[in-house]
Amino acid sequence: MKKYFAVLLGFIIIFSLPLTAFADIGPKPSVRITFNGINDSTIYQNGTVYYGTLLSEHKSTGPSSAWDGVAGHEEYDGFDKEIWHKFADYTDKDGYYFLQEIWDCTETHQLNWTYYPPSKFKILLYFPETDIYFMSDIYERYAFDSYYTVDIIGDMYAGQMLKAEQSYDFTWEIISLLARIAATILIEILIAVVFFYREKRTLKFIAIVNIITQIALNVGLNIINYNKGSMAFTFYFILFEIAVFAAEAVIYSVTLKKLSSKPAKPGKPAAYAFAANLASFAIGLWISHIVPGIF
């Protein structure tokens, strides 16, 4: 039994490192915007350089904050200083703030704010070749991951406006859901091998259990994401993970000893369930920082 606790301790030590380094590493809400009509515009042809940001109702959100106007406090983050100052010097009629975050939208025609985007925002584009701004009305995050498609309305003589429409990307959410389920099953199978559950029928059973529990977990969390937002997601994420661990511990304790040809030590199935869920949970949080929006 001591070796199983040694394995568990090893996982705790290993996975506590990235969690300590990124103390706020869990899944975060996002705003993802796709711009239409730039290439088709009579003013802005293919390859026209343009930059975008979200102006915020508040002076800060997460690590992003407005410049205090003091020289030396600018947060360029390697961005072109002239472009940065074009956004910093922009005065919004409703008093919304530039939070020193800029995206080059020229190639992708997208602006993806995946780490603490503002709840209420305006979309601001700047075209350096013509020194012209495009501004939207006020919009809000409507889901944990909020998708918008934006069109240019008006022209350089009639006033430049951006019109955004909600365009929740169900296809991407399904892909990310399947990616999470597949990654979890792979991780838990690898942990099973570490715990010497290596017979084909045993691994098959573990995979089936994980498919069922992970589909239930992730579908439930996706529904909560869309309807309730980040605080509810975090609460239910922890609650559901505990429930999944408890269910798997009971199922494995009853079944694995029957499937395995070798006698199992008491507590081994529950120890495996704990280690497997701890590993998938910690790795999922780590990947959520590396690939935002999937985990």
Side-chain angles (χ1 to χ4, degrees):
M1 195 65 186
K2 291 182 179 179
K3 65 180 179 180
Y4 299 126
F5 284 109
V7 172
L8 294 182
L9 181 60
F11 278 119
I12 291 171
I13 293 173
I14 292 170
F15 293 119
S16 67
L17 296 178
L19 292 176
T20 302
F22 307 106
D24 194 17
I25 199 173
K28 300 295 182 295
S30 68
V31 173
R32 301 170 181 273
I33 298 173
T34 299
F35 299 101
N36 284 338
I38 302 297
N39 292 345
D40 299 330
S41 169
T42 57
I43 306 171
Y44 304 106
Q45 300 300 322
N46 188 39
T48 298
V49 176
Y50 69 108
Y51 302 90
T53 192
L54 302 182
L55 301 184
S56 172
E57 180 185 26
H58 303 290
K59 287 187 176 181
S60 65
T61 175
S64 304
S65 60
W67 179 41
D68 59 10
V70 177
H73 290 186
E74 301 92 340
E75 297 180 9
Y76 296 122
D77 291 332
F79 216 86
D80 183 276
K81 293 182 180 181
E82 184 177 347
I83 298 298
W84 186 95
H85 278 286
K86 282 292 184 179
F87 283 97
D89 295 340
Y90 183 85
T91 301
D92 178 61
K93 64 182 180 66
D94 296 312
Y96 274 53
Y97 300 94
F98 167 58
L99 301 185
Q100 306 187 72
E101 302 286 350
I102 306 173
W103 283 259
D104 185 342
C105 306
T106 306
E107 298 295 332
T108 64
H109 301 296
Q110 292 183 339
L111 187 164
N112 296 323
W113 193 320
T114 57
Y115 196 79
Y116 285 111
S119 296
K120 273 189 174 182
F121 57 87
K122 288 184 171 185
I123 305 163
L124 177 65
L125 297 183
Y126 175 66
F127 291 78
E129 294 177 15
T130 51
D131 194 30
I132 287 178
Y133 296 94
F134 278 54
M135 171 61 72
S136 75
D137 289 328
I138 298 171
Y139 294 96
E140 295 186 56
R141 295 202 320 253
Y142 61 88
F144 191 78
D145 295 306
S146 298
Y147 294 85
Y148 281 96
T149 299
V150 172
D151 291 294
I152 294 178
I153 58 176
D155 56 39
M156 62 187 303
Y157 304 106
Q160 295 75 39
M161 288 294 296
L162 302 172
K163 181 180 180 181
E165 297 286 345
Q166 295 180 8
S167 55
Y168 193 80
D169 193 342
F170 288 99
T171 300
W172 170 251
E173 292 302 321
I174 291 173
I175 291 173
S176 65
L177 170 63
L178 294 176
R180 290 195 299 272
I181 293 173
T184 300
I185 292 173
L186 176 60
I187 292 166
E188 299 204 11
I189 289 294
L190 291 175
I191 302 301
V193 173
V194 172
F195 272 75
F196 296 98
Y197 290 120
R198 299 175 180 178
E199 295 174 87
K200 185 176 180 180
R201 62 179 181 175
T202 302
L203 295 177
K204 182 179 179 180
F205 177 76
I206 290 173
I208 291 173
V209 170
N210 271 280
I211 289 172
I212 294 171
T213 57
Q214 291 306 311
I215 288 176
L217 171 67
N218 284 279
V219 169
L221 289 175
N222 269 31
I223 293 172
I224 291 169
N225 275 358
Y226 184 86
N227 292 292
K228 301 296 184 180
S230 58
M231 292 188 67
F233 173 89
T234 302
F235 173 77
Y236 283 102
F237 184 39
I238 297 171
L239 183 64
F240 287 176
E241 283 286 354
I242 294 172
V244 167
F245 158 66
E248 290 184 355
V250 171
I251 293 170
Y252 293 153
S253 295
V254 172
T255 308
L256 290 184
K257 62 182 179 181
K258 298 178 181 178
L259 294 176
S260 179
S261 59
K262 298 179 181 179
K265 294 183 179 180
K268 177 181 174 181
Y272 160 67
F274 178 75
N277 280 278
L278 175 64
S280 61
F281 177 79
I283 293 174
L285 291 182
W286 178 68
I287 296 176
S288 74
H289 183 82
I290 305 300
V291 191
I294 292 184
F295 288 83

